[in-house]
PDB file of all heavy atoms in Angstrom:
ATOM      1  N   ALA K  74       0.811  -1.240  -0.021  1.00 96.00           N
ATOM      2  CA  ALA K  74       0.042  -0.041   0.009  1.00 96.00           C
ATOM      3  C   ALA K  74       0.823   1.256   0.023  1.00 96.00           C
ATOM      4  O   ALA K  74       0.517   2.230  -0.675  1.00 96.00           O
ATOM      5  CB  ALA K  74      -0.923  -0.048   1.203  1.00 96.00           C
ATOM      6  N   SER K  75       1.944   1.283   0.743  1.00 94.00           N
ATOM      7  CA  SER K  75       2.766   2.527   0.743  1.00 94.00           C
ATOM      8  C   SER K  75       3.398   2.720  -0.508  1.00 94.00           C
ATOM      9  O   SER K  75       3.668   3.940  -0.904  1.00 94.00           O
ATOM     10  CB  SER K  75       3.761   2.398   1.931  1.00 94.00           C
ATOM     11  OG  SER K  75       4.685   1.214   1.641  1.00 94.00           O
ATOM     12  N   TYR K  76       3.759   1.684  -1.339  1.00 93.00           N
ATOM     13  CA  TYR K  76       4.339   1.824  -2.556  1.00 93.00           C
ATOM     14  C   TYR K  76       3.358   2.309  -3.637  1.00 93.00           C
ATOM     15  O   TYR K  76       3.586   3.028  -4.537  1.00 93.00           O
ATOM     16  CB  TYR K  76       4.945   0.485  -3.088  1.00 93.00           C
ATOM     17  CG  TYR K  76       6.171   0.020  -2.333  1.00 93.00           C
ATOM     18  CD1 TYR K  76       5.999  -0.955  -1.283  1.00 93.00           C
ATOM     19  CD2 TYR K  76       7.457   0.517  -2.518  1.00 93.00           C
ATOM     20  CE1 TYR K  76       7.050  -1.431  -0.599  1.00 93.00           C
ATOM     21  CE2 TYR K  76       8.543   0.101  -1.859  1.00 93.00           C
ATOM     22  CZ  TYR K  76       8.325  -0.891  -0.891  1.00 93.00           C
ATOM     23  OH  TYR K  76       9.476  -1.465  -0.164  1.00 93.00           O
ATOM     24  N   ALA K  77       2.148   1.941  -3.421  1.00 94.00           N
ATOM     25  CA  ALA K  77       1.010   2.279  -4.343  1.00 94.00           C
ATOM     26  C   ALA K  77       0.570   3.685  -4.174  1.00 94.00           C
ATOM     27  O   ALA K  77       0.031   4.229  -5.119  1.00 94.00           O
ATOM     28  CB  ALA K  77      -0.089   1.275  -4.152  1.00 94.00           C
ATOM     29  N   ALA K  78       0.693   4.203  -3.008  1.00 93.00           N
ATOM     30  CA  ALA K  78      -0.025   5.446  -2.645  1.00 93.00           C
ATOM     31  C   ALA K  78       0.295   6.660  -3.578  1.00 93.00           C
ATOM     32  O   ALA K  78      -0.650   7.533  -3.844  1.00 93.00           O
ATOM     33  CB  ALA K  78       0.257   5.870  -1.246  1.00 93.00           C
ATOM     34  N   ASP K  79       1.491   6.701  -4.144  1.00 93.00           N
ATOM     35  CA  ASP K  79       1.835   7.867  -4.976  1.00 93.00           C
ATOM     36  C   ASP K  79       1.763   7.522  -6.480  1.00 93.00           C
ATOM     37  O   ASP K  79       2.126   8.343  -7.287  1.00 93.00           O
ATOM     38  CB  ASP K  79       3.211   8.432  -4.552  1.00 93.00           C
ATOM     39  CG  ASP K  79       4.309   7.435  -4.589  1.00 93.00           C
ATOM     40  OD1 ASP K  79       4.078   6.369  -5.175  1.00 93.00           O
ATOM     41  OD2 ASP K  79       5.366   7.728  -4.008  1.00 93.00           O
ATOM     42  N   GLY K  80       1.410   6.302  -6.820  1.00 93.00           N
ATOM     43  CA  GLY K  80       1.193   5.914  -8.184  1.00 93.00           C
ATOM     44  C   GLY K  80       2.506   5.652  -8.908  1.00 93.00           C
ATOM     45  O   GLY K  80       2.528   5.503 -10.202  1.00 93.00           O
ATOM     46  N   ARG K  81       3.662   5.509  -8.176  1.00 93.00           N
ATOM     47  CA  ARG K  81       4.889   5.280  -8.850  1.00 93.00           C
ATOM     48  C   ARG K  81       4.980   4.031  -9.732  1.00 93.00           C
ATOM     49  O   ARG K  81       5.790   3.978 -10.662  1.00 93.00           O
ATOM     50  CB  ARG K  81       6.078   5.298  -7.827  1.00 93.00           C
ATOM     51  CG  ARG K  81       6.151   4.022  -7.027  1.00 93.00           C
ATOM     52  CD  ARG K  81       7.190   4.077  -5.908  1.00 93.00           C
ATOM     53  NE  ARG K  81       6.769   4.917  -4.804  1.00 93.00           N
ATOM     54  CZ  ARG K  81       7.512   5.060  -3.633  1.00 93.00           C
ATOM     55  NH1 ARG K  81       8.701   4.416  -3.622  1.00 93.00           N
ATOM     56  NH2 ARG K  81       7.091   5.763  -2.671  1.00 93.00           N
ATOM     57  N   PHE K  82       4.262   3.044  -9.339  1.00 94.00           N
ATOM     58  CA  PHE K  82       4.230   1.807 -10.044  1.00 94.00           C
ATOM     59  C   PHE K  82       3.062   1.572 -10.994  1.00 94.00           C
ATOM     60  O   PHE K  82       2.844   0.464 -11.485  1.00 94.00           O
ATOM     61  CB  PHE K  82       4.369   0.631  -9.072  1.00 94.00           C
ATOM     62  CG  PHE K  82       5.682   0.602  -8.416  1.00 94.00           C
ATOM     63  CD1 PHE K  82       5.775   0.271  -7.055  1.00 94.00           C
ATOM     64  CD2 PHE K  82       6.885   0.822  -9.001  1.00 94.00           C
ATOM     65  CE1 PHE K  82       6.970   0.193  -6.348  1.00 94.00           C
ATOM     66  CE2 PHE K  82       8.098   0.799  -8.337  1.00 94.00           C
ATOM     67  CZ  PHE K  82       8.196   0.475  -7.047  1.00 94.00           C
ATOM     68  N   GLU K  83       2.261   2.720 -11.203  1.00 95.00           N
ATOM     69  CA  GLU K  83       1.194   2.656 -12.105  1.00 95.00           C
ATOM     70  C   GLU K  83       1.112   3.925 -12.855  1.00 95.00           C
ATOM     71  O   GLU K  83       0.126   4.649 -12.925  1.00 95.00           O
ATOM     72  CB  GLU K  83      -0.161   2.391 -11.337  1.00 95.00           C
ATOM     73  CG  GLU K  83      -0.279   0.992 -10.674  1.00 95.00           C
ATOM     74  CD  GLU K  83      -1.634   0.877 -10.109  1.00 95.00           C
ATOM     75  OE1 GLU K  83      -1.896   1.419  -9.045  1.00 95.00           O
ATOM     76  OE2 GLU K  83      -2.417   0.108 -10.786  1.00 95.00           O
ATOM     77  N   LEU K  84       2.228   4.185 -13.546  1.00 94.00           N
ATOM     78  CA  LEU K  84       2.356   5.451 -14.289  1.00 94.00           C
ATOM     79  C   LEU K  84       1.312   5.608 -15.393  1.00 94.00           C
ATOM     80  O   LEU K  84       1.067   6.747 -15.897  1.00 94.00           O
ATOM     81  CB  LEU K  84       3.822   5.606 -14.870  1.00 94.00           C
ATOM     82  CG  LEU K  84       4.894   5.721 -13.754  1.00 94.00           C
ATOM     83  CD1 LEU K  84       6.295   5.877 -14.414  1.00 94.00           C
ATOM     84  CD2 LEU K  84       4.656   6.951 -12.874  1.00 94.00           C
ATOM     85  N   TYR K  85       0.766   4.462 -15.838  1.00 95.00           N
ATOM     86  CA  TYR K  85      -0.280   4.559 -16.884  1.00 95.00           C
ATOM     87  C   TYR K  85      -1.463   5.382 -16.343  1.00 95.00           C
ATOM     88  O   TYR K  85      -2.292   5.860 -17.160  1.00 95.00           O
ATOM     89  CB  TYR K  85      -0.679   3.186 -17.371  1.00 95.00           C
ATOM     90  CG  TYR K  85      -0.807   2.156 -16.289  1.00 95.00           C
ATOM     91  CD1 TYR K  85      -2.073   2.088 -15.669  1.00 95.00           C
ATOM     92  CD2 TYR K  85       0.199   1.335 -15.930  1.00 95.00           C
ATOM     93  CE1 TYR K  85      -2.231   1.132 -14.623  1.00 95.00           C
ATOM     94  CE2 TYR K  85       0.012   0.423 -14.944  1.00 95.00           C
ATOM     95  CZ  TYR K  85      -1.119   0.296 -14.259  1.00 95.00           C
ATOM     96  OH  TYR K  85      -1.319  -0.639 -13.219  1.00 95.00           O
ATOM     97  N   LYS K  86      -1.664   5.381 -15.059  1.00 96.00           N
ATOM     98  CA  LYS K  86      -2.763   6.150 -14.543  1.00 96.00           C
ATOM     99  C   LYS K  86      -2.515   7.663 -14.334  1.00 96.00           C
ATOM    100  O   LYS K  86      -3.405   8.473 -14.385  1.00 96.00           O
ATOM    101  CB  LYS K  86      -3.147   5.587 -13.122  1.00 96.00           C
ATOM    102  CG  LYS K  86      -3.734   4.141 -13.128  1.00 96.00           C
ATOM    103  CD  LYS K  86      -4.060   3.756 -11.718  1.00 96.00           C
ATOM    104  CE  LYS K  86      -4.575   2.333 -11.688  1.00 96.00           C
ATOM    105  NZ  LYS K  86      -4.772   1.836 -10.314  1.00 96.00           N
ATOM    106  N   THR K  87      -1.198   7.975 -14.101  1.00 93.00           N
ATOM    107  CA  THR K  87      -0.858   9.355 -13.742  1.00 93.00           C
ATOM    108  C   THR K  87      -0.132  10.116 -14.808  1.00 93.00           C
ATOM    109  O   THR K  87       0.109  11.400 -14.644  1.00 93.00           O
ATOM    110  CB  THR K  87       0.067   9.287 -12.470  1.00 93.00           C
ATOM    111  OG1 THR K  87       1.278   8.560 -12.763  1.00 93.00           O
ATOM    112  CG2 THR K  87      -0.631   8.609 -11.318  1.00 93.00           C
ATOM    113  N   SER K  88       0.269   9.531 -15.886  1.00 92.00           N
ATOM    114  CA  SER K  88       1.017  10.145 -16.960  1.00 92.00           C
ATOM    115  C   SER K  88       0.568   9.684 -18.317  1.00 92.00           C
ATOM    116  O   SER K  88      -0.318   8.835 -18.451  1.00 92.00           O
ATOM    117  CB  SER K  88       2.535   9.839 -16.717  1.00 92.00           C
ATOM    118  OG  SER K  88       2.762   8.478 -17.108  1.00 92.00           O
ATOM    119  N   LYS K  89       1.218  10.208 -19.391  1.00 89.00           N
ATOM    120  CA  LYS K  89       0.875   9.741 -20.704  1.00 89.00           C
ATOM    121  C   LYS K  89       1.885   8.731 -21.150  1.00 89.00           C
ATOM    122  O   LYS K  89       1.887   8.410 -22.353  1.00 89.00           O
ATOM    123  CB  LYS K  89       0.806  10.904 -21.638  1.00 89.00           C
ATOM    124  CG  LYS K  89      -0.099  11.983 -21.191  1.00 89.00           C
ATOM    125  CD  LYS K  89      -0.569  12.836 -22.353  1.00 89.00           C
ATOM    126  CE  LYS K  89      -1.594  12.105 -23.194  1.00 89.00           C
ATOM    127  NZ  LYS K  89      -2.784  11.766 -22.490  1.00 89.00           N
ATOM    128  N   LYS K  90       2.698   8.158 -20.243  1.00 84.00           N
ATOM    129  CA  LYS K  90       3.791   7.213 -20.727  1.00 84.00           C
ATOM    130  C   LYS K  90       3.222   6.060 -21.473  1.00 84.00           C
ATOM    131  O   LYS K  90       3.886   5.564 -22.412  1.00 84.00           O
ATOM    132  CB  LYS K  90       4.523   6.759 -19.396  1.00 84.00           C
ATOM    133  CG  LYS K  90       5.615   5.704 -19.751  1.00 84.00           C
ATOM    134  CD  LYS K  90       6.382   5.377 -18.454  1.00 84.00           C
ATOM    135  CE  LYS K  90       7.487   4.385 -18.800  1.00 84.00           C
ATOM    136  NZ  LYS K  90       8.295   4.025 -17.612  1.00 84.00           N
ATOM    137  N   TYR K  91       2.095   5.518 -21.071  1.00 88.00           N
ATOM    138  CA  TYR K  91       1.563   4.342 -21.736  1.00 88.00           C
ATOM    139  C   TYR K  91       0.466   4.629 -22.743  1.00 88.00           C
ATOM    140  O   TYR K  91      -0.196   3.723 -23.240  1.00 88.00           O
ATOM    141  CB  TYR K  91       1.076   3.286 -20.683  1.00 88.00           C
ATOM    142  CG  TYR K  91       2.216   2.732 -19.916  1.00 88.00           C
ATOM    143  CD1 TYR K  91       2.724   3.335 -18.802  1.00 88.00           C
ATOM    144  CD2 TYR K  91       2.840   1.515 -20.301  1.00 88.00           C
ATOM    145  CE1 TYR K  91       3.723   2.875 -18.092  1.00 88.00           C
ATOM    146  CE2 TYR K  91       3.872   0.972 -19.575  1.00 88.00           C
ATOM    147  CZ  TYR K  91       4.333   1.648 -18.433  1.00 88.00           C
ATOM    148  OH  TYR K  91       5.360   1.176 -17.718  1.00 88.00           O
ATOM    149  N   ASP K  92       0.158   5.921 -22.993  1.00 92.00           N
ATOM    150  CA  ASP K  92      -0.904   6.279 -23.909  1.00 92.00           C
ATOM    151  C   ASP K  92      -0.305   6.183 -25.326  1.00 92.00           C
ATOM    152  O   ASP K  92       0.742   6.792 -25.625  1.00 92.00           O
ATOM    153  CB  ASP K  92      -1.438   7.674 -23.754  1.00 92.00           C
ATOM    154  CG  ASP K  92      -1.975   7.805 -22.309  1.00 92.00           C
ATOM    155  OD1 ASP K  92      -2.171   6.770 -21.638  1.00 92.00           O
ATOM    156  OD2 ASP K  92      -2.412   8.930 -21.995  1.00 92.00           O
ATOM    157  N   GLY K  93      -0.944   5.492 -26.261  1.00 92.00           N
ATOM    158  CA  GLY K  93      -0.486   5.311 -27.647  1.00 92.00           C
ATOM    159  C   GLY K  93      -0.515   6.485 -28.456  1.00 92.00           C
ATOM    160  O   GLY K  93      -1.329   7.449 -28.250  1.00 92.00           O
ATOM    161  N   SER K  94       0.440   6.594 -29.369  1.00 92.00           N
ATOM    162  CA  SER K  94       0.562   7.767 -30.220  1.00 92.00           C
ATOM    163  C   SER K  94      -0.728   8.067 -31.041  1.00 92.00           C
ATOM    164  O   SER K  94      -1.076   9.236 -31.246  1.00 92.00           O
ATOM    165  CB  SER K  94       1.798   7.660 -31.169  1.00 92.00           C
ATOM    166  OG  SER K  94       2.955   7.777 -30.330  1.00 92.00           O
ATOM    167  N   PRO K  95      -1.369   7.091 -31.606  1.00 92.00           N
ATOM    168  CA  PRO K  95      -2.590   7.328 -32.357  1.00 92.00           C
ATOM    169  C   PRO K  95      -3.633   8.032 -31.527  1.00 92.00           C
ATOM    170  O   PRO K  95      -4.305   8.936 -32.051  1.00 92.00           O
ATOM    171  CB  PRO K  95      -3.030   5.982 -32.921  1.00 92.00           C
ATOM    172  CG  PRO K  95      -1.796   5.212 -32.984  1.00 92.00           C
ATOM    173  CD  PRO K  95      -1.040   5.664 -31.793  1.00 92.00           C
ATOM    174  N   GLY K  96      -3.843   7.614 -30.369  1.00 95.00           N
ATOM    175  CA  GLY K  96      -4.769   8.322 -29.433  1.00 95.00           C
ATOM    176  C   GLY K  96      -4.331   9.705 -29.139  1.00 95.00           C
ATOM    177  O   GLY K  96      -5.171  10.602 -29.063  1.00 95.00           O
ATOM    178  N   ARG K  97      -3.133   9.883 -28.857  1.00 92.00           N
ATOM    179  CA  ARG K  97      -2.666  11.250 -28.525  1.00 92.00           C
ATOM    180  C   ARG K  97      -2.867  12.142 -29.720  1.00 92.00           C
ATOM    181  O   ARG K  97      -3.284  13.295 -29.514  1.00 92.00           O
ATOM    182  CB  ARG K  97      -1.097  11.161 -28.249  1.00 92.00           C
ATOM    183  CG  ARG K  97      -0.654  10.467 -27.042  1.00 92.00           C
ATOM    184  CD  ARG K  97       0.842  10.664 -26.766  1.00 92.00           C
ATOM    185  NE  ARG K  97       1.303   9.724 -25.886  1.00 92.00           N
ATOM    186  CZ  ARG K  97       2.570   9.822 -25.250  1.00 92.00           C
ATOM    187  NH1 ARG K  97       3.307  10.967 -25.517  1.00 92.00           N
ATOM    188  NH2 ARG K  97       3.027   8.943 -24.460  1.00 92.00           N
ATOM    189  N   GLU K  98      -2.596  11.665 -30.902  1.00 93.00           N
ATOM    190  CA  GLU K  98      -2.795  12.527 -32.112  1.00 93.00           C
ATOM    191  C   GLU K  98      -4.235  12.943 -32.253  1.00 93.00           C
ATOM    192  O   GLU K  98      -4.576  14.112 -32.542  1.00 93.00           O
ATOM    193  CB  GLU K  98      -2.358  11.765 -33.378  1.00 93.00           C
ATOM    194  CG  GLU K  98      -2.580  12.536 -34.710  1.00 93.00           C
ATOM    195  CD  GLU K  98      -2.196  11.711 -35.840  1.00 93.00           C
ATOM    196  OE1 GLU K  98      -1.654  10.626 -35.702  1.00 93.00           O
ATOM    197  OE2 GLU K  98      -2.457  12.253 -36.966  1.00 93.00           O
ATOM    198  N   GLN K  99      -5.157  11.993 -32.101  1.00 94.00           N
ATOM    199  CA  GLN K  99      -6.544  12.342 -32.151  1.00 94.00           C
ATOM    200  C   GLN K  99      -7.127  13.344 -31.143  1.00 94.00           C
ATOM    201  O   GLN K  99      -8.049  14.053 -31.275  1.00 94.00           O
ATOM    202  CB  GLN K  99      -7.456  11.029 -32.128  1.00 94.00           C
ATOM    203  CG  GLN K  99      -7.276  10.134 -33.304  1.00 94.00           C
ATOM    204  CD  GLN K  99      -7.467  10.821 -34.630  1.00 94.00           C
ATOM    205  OE1 GLN K  99      -8.507  11.549 -34.824  1.00 94.00           O
ATOM    206  NE2 GLN K  99      -6.527  10.669 -35.555  1.00 94.00           N
ATOM    207  N   HIS K 100      -6.308  13.431 -30.016  1.00 93.00           N
ATOM    208  CA  HIS K 100      -6.763  14.313 -28.925  1.00 93.00           C
ATOM    209  C   HIS K 100      -5.824  15.556 -28.878  1.00 93.00           C
ATOM    210  O   HIS K 100      -5.914  16.352 -27.958  1.00 93.00           O
ATOM    211  CB  HIS K 100      -6.703  13.682 -27.556  1.00 93.00           C
ATOM    212  CG  HIS K 100      -7.874  12.745 -27.420  1.00 93.00           C
ATOM    213  ND1 HIS K 100      -9.087  13.123 -26.811  1.00 93.00           N
ATOM    214  CD2 HIS K 100      -8.100  11.388 -27.716  1.00 93.00           C
ATOM    215  CE1 HIS K 100      -9.920  12.155 -26.783  1.00 93.00           C
ATOM    216  NE2 HIS K 100      -9.328  11.073 -27.257  1.00 93.00           N
ATOM    217  N   GLY K 101      -4.992  15.762 -29.929  1.00 92.00           N
ATOM    218  CA  GLY K 101      -4.198  16.969 -29.973  1.00 92.00           C
ATOM    219  C   GLY K 101      -2.939  17.011 -29.121  1.00 92.00           C
ATOM    220  O   GLY K 101      -2.299  18.058 -28.881  1.00 92.00           O
TER     221      GLY K 101
END
């Protein structure tokens, strides 16, 4: 729980690191 609390191990929730380029393009 303490590791999870700041989202460091789930960056797909907090950043665009795992968001695909086609989707990014469609959203500008």
Side-chain angles (χ1 to χ4, degrees):
S75 61
Y76 294 99
D79 55 14
R81 74 183 77 174
F82 293 138
E83 294 187 283
L84 294 178
Y85 44 84
K86 294 179 180 178
T87 61
S88 72
K89 305 203 73 59
K90 180 177 180 180
Y91 291 86
D92 299 354
S94 292
R97 294 190 197 192
E98 179 182 352
Q99 292 306 311
H100 285 269

